[in-house]
Amino acid sequence: MDRPGQARIAQLRLPPSPQAGAPCVVGYSGGLDSTVLLHLLGGDRATQGAGLRALHVHHGLHAQADAWAAHCEATCARLGIPLEVVRVAVDRRAGLGLEGAAREARHAAFAAHLRAGEVLALAHHRDDQAETFLLRALRGSGVDGLAAMRPWRAYARGWLWRPLLGMPRADLLAHARLQRLDWIDDPGNDDPGLDRNFLRHHVMPHLQARWPHAPAALARSAGFAAAATDLLDAGDDAALAGVRRAVDLLDVAGLLALPATQRARVLRRWIAALGLPPLPAHGSACIEADLLDARPDARARFDWHGARVQRWRDLLHAGPLRTPLPRDWRATWDGRAPLRLPTGDTLELLGADGFDHEVIAHARRGGERLRLPRRRHDHALKHLLQDAGVPPWQRERLPLLSAADGTLLAAGDRLCSATLASWLDARGARLQWTAVA
């Protein structure tokens, strides 16, 4: 290496954290990249003073995994940096491939162990960014996906920071050699069966042989996509606010008034804001064809990965798939303590010590009838719930209360019979049904 190059590498510096003064935790695998990051942060007095620790995720996928964890412990002990080793189980049946499943397990561990306000520092560099851009392009990603990795974003209870994202791996390697750092070489990084490794070892060298600045150009394109995404996001946020009727409800007419391309983006943004799994590639098209154009009473729905979007009247509702109340469930209840339902929901009697006589809590089975206050006759519960605007995702979990003789007294806290309503009013009491979030 020439002297100017040595001077540049010797002066390798991290950009300042956007969250100055926040404690930092390094995702430390023991490999080259995270080793450089650990030493750079460990050598910064301000970072050390704010609180610096490291987290090593033990996947257990390699025979040397225990030795790698021991290496990380020894390195951190020499540097005086606290280290936590977290063992995870990688779900090989998740349909994500080994690489994707390991990444999911790793991020779940990071999210679970990141403390409030902490900054998680990961060692992705410019070459990683270029590879991610290519992988996303090969999967047909839109501008959001082509934005690849962001240098800074909200994450779990804190933040995620990638301070090396603008640096080529060659600079990190030169720095590590110059500083005589010790790191782990994972043989899994040479497996061409993994998509990223195939790009790294068989595609990128050919691209760089013809276009030496290919990694930098691809990473720059990712940056342009990120800037475009930010602009689109601002418009999508405004559009989402205009069609949102509640956190989990969107107005169908308002959605249909948006351009189709923006409608798809607004749907994805809504789903993400609810913390639901990302819509699959065909999700927006299915919602467009099967839900937005459906009759208001069609009960159309789209399910994916434990989540559901469904049409109800002139609204779209999204949420996790919830287990209905079992049809054969029954329990006696005196009202003295909250009643925990099989679904995890609770039913409480507030403002009174208990009922005069035990009631029977049970699930809907169909055909129930209820006489409301100031009504001369009873009516089908199904129609009363519809008239009261109780949506279907609540109806299927709604607990009913009946007297010992079978007379229906209440449907959760949504509807009360004339008899029970009179009893509650006389005591200033009420029922409260609380559904799990």
Side-chain angles (χ1 to χ4, degrees):
M1 182 187 298
D2 59 16
R3 289 182 181 178
Q6 282 185 329
R8 180 168 62 87
I9 299 305
Q11 294 173 5
L12 194 63
R13 294 287 184 270
L14 295 178
S17 168
Q19 196 74 0
C24 189
V25 54
V26 180
Y28 180 42
S29 68
L32 166 69
D33 310 333
S34 63
T35 297
V36 170
L37 179 59
L38 184 76
H39 279 78
L40 289 172
L41 289 172
D44 183 80
R45 289 185 179 180
T47 302
Q48 282 276 25
L52 175 66
R53 64 189 184 96
L55 190 67
H56 175 79
V57 178
H58 187 308
H59 299 88
L61 296 175
H62 192 275
Q64 295 297 310
D66 288 339
W68 295 343
H71 166 89
C72 293
E73 288 172 336
T75 300
C76 287
R78 285 197 305 271
L79 294 172
I81 298 173
L83 173 72
E84 183 177 3
V85 176
V86 179
R87 293 177 179 267
V88 298
V90 177
D91 185 1
R92 297 172 181 262
R93 300 169 299 175
L96 302 170
L98 183 60
E99 189 177 18
R103 181 171 57 251
E104 286 289 312
R106 187 164 57 251
H107 274 281
F110 288 151
H113 289 80
L114 190 68
R115 299 165 189 163
E118 267 189 327
V119 174
L120 172 64
L122 299 182
H124 299 108
H125 47 71
R126 192 177 70 186
D127 294 38
D128 292 326
Q129 182 77 314
E131 293 162 5
T132 300
F133 179 87
L134 274 179
L135 284 170
R136 301 277 181 85
L138 291 168
R139 292 169 187 158
S141 296
V143 66
D144 305 60
L146 295 178
M149 295 179 286
R150 298 299 188 104
W152 176 259
R153 65 179 176 89
Y155 183 86
R157 294 184 294 167
W159 306 91
L160 191 154
W161 181 35
R162 295 183 173 99
L164 305 179
L165 205 55
M167 303 178 190
R169 185 179 186 276
D171 283 10
L172 305 187
L173 178 60
H175 176 86
R177 288 173 173 168
L178 194 65
Q179 301 297 325
R180 300 186 179 183
L181 303 182
D182 186 23
W183 65 89
I184 295 165
D185 285 316
D186 181 354
N189 291 332
D190 297 324
D191 179 5
L194 301 177
D195 291 344
R196 188 175 291 273
N197 289 344
F198 182 81
L199 277 182
R200 183 173 299 160
H201 299 298
H202 297 281
V203 176
M204 293 302 293
H206 290 289
L207 289 178
Q208 287 183 266
R210 180 65 181 253
W211 298 285
H213 300 297
L218 292 170
R220 190 163 57 251
S221 291
F224 292 147
T229 297
D230 289 342
L231 288 174
L232 289 170
D233 284 348
D236 294 341
D237 284 340
L240 178 57
V243 299
R244 211 168 196 168
R245 297 298 171 261
V247 172
D248 54 357
L249 294 174
L250 297 187
D251 178 67
V252 170
L255 276 172
L256 290 172
L258 298 174
T261 52
Q262 186 177 36
R263 189 157 58 237
R265 291 180 55 84
V266 166
L267 284 170
R268 290 195 297 270
R269 198 155 184 80
W270 176 49
I271 294 299
L274 291 172
L276 299 174
L279 279 172
H282 67 291
S284 295
C286 288
I287 293 171
E288 185 86 20
D290 300 334
L291 276 69
L292 294 183
D293 288 337
R295 298 190 319 274
D297 60 348
R299 295 289 302 276
R301 60 185 59 178
F302 175 73
D303 295 350
W304 80 102
H305 301 314
R308 170 177 290 170
V309 173
Q310 58 188 304
R311 173 75 179 264
W312 178 62
R313 298 183 176 176
D314 294 320
L315 299 170
L316 282 189
H317 172 265
L321 281 173
R322 301 294 193 192
T323 304
L325 199 59
R327 285 175 59 86
D328 59 353
W329 174 78
R330 290 172 64 87
T332 57
W333 184 41
D334 60 12
R336 297 183 183 280
L339 177 65
R340 189 169 182 83
L341 311 179
T343 55
D345 301 346
T346 56
L347 184 62
E348 297 178 78
L349 174 63
L350 303 178
D353 294 333
F355 296 114
D356 295 338
H357 304 284
E358 285 187 338
V359 297
I360 307 299
H362 58 98
R364 290 180 65 198
R365 304 194 70 175
E368 297 91 356
R369 299 183 69 83
L370 182 71
R371 186 167 69 85
L372 295 177
R374 296 177 296 278
R375 300 278 183 95
R376 293 185 177 183
H377 305 287
D378 57 14
H379 298 274
L381 179 62
K382 175 182 177 180
H383 297 147
L384 292 176
L385 290 172
Q386 291 173 347
D387 292 344
V390 179
W393 55 91
Q394 292 182 4
R395 288 179 227 156
E396 62 187 10
R397 298 167 64 88
L398 194 66
L400 305 186
L401 296 180
S402 292
D405 64 1
T407 303
L408 186 61
L409 299 174
D413 58 0
R414 302 302 192 257
L415 298 171
C416 275
S417 70
T419 301
L420 181 58
S422 176
W423 186 91
L424 293 171
D425 289 344
R427 291 159 179 79
R430 63 185 177 91
L431 293 172
Q432 179 173 286
W433 174 48
T434 304
V436 293

